[in-house]
Amino acid sequence: MKQDIKGTVEQLCKKYDTRSPFEIAKQRRIFIQYEPLGTVRGYYNTAYRQKIIHINSDLDGDQQLLVCAHELGHSVLHPNANTPFFKAHTLFSVSKMETEANRFMIYLTVSDDELMEYAEFPMSHLANIYDVPMDLIRWRYEQMAPLNGKEHRL
């Protein structure tokens, strides 16, 4: 079953009347814990039925927003998966779940309207503005191309 990540994000934004991952997490009663995590940017887990998003307190505010959106994606798309455990103790590949959480994050943090507003800018500029990898911005535009009929320049 292919998951409609964009539809899921749009439903959440409509339900909670915001695109803020922090506000959506708050309204969904997901606890956000800021802590020094070294090289780990963040992770999601459940403890005693409490959903928790852990965010590296050493990141700047923009990066914390992206991490929160990514981990919120895990809480919505993979609520019972324990990716840190899978990575550390099994041979299970979590790359599909990470890709889905990244796509959730980019749909949540960059609306179609924003992308259309910046359509004349090079993708590299947008990647810098949103502080996301270029391939994620490229993928996001590819998803919109059928909607707007435009090719975007690099």
Side-chain angles (χ1 to χ4, degrees), residues 63-75:
Q63 285 295 305
Q64 288 182 353
L65 180 126
L66 295 174
V67 169
C68 186
H70 175 95
E71 300 306 334
L72 180 64
H74 282 302
S75 78

Side-chain angles (χ1 to χ4, degrees), residues 9 27 44 52 60 66 84 97 101:
V9 168
Q27 290 191 44
Y44 161 77
I52 307 165
D60 67 32
L66 295 174
M97 288 189 289

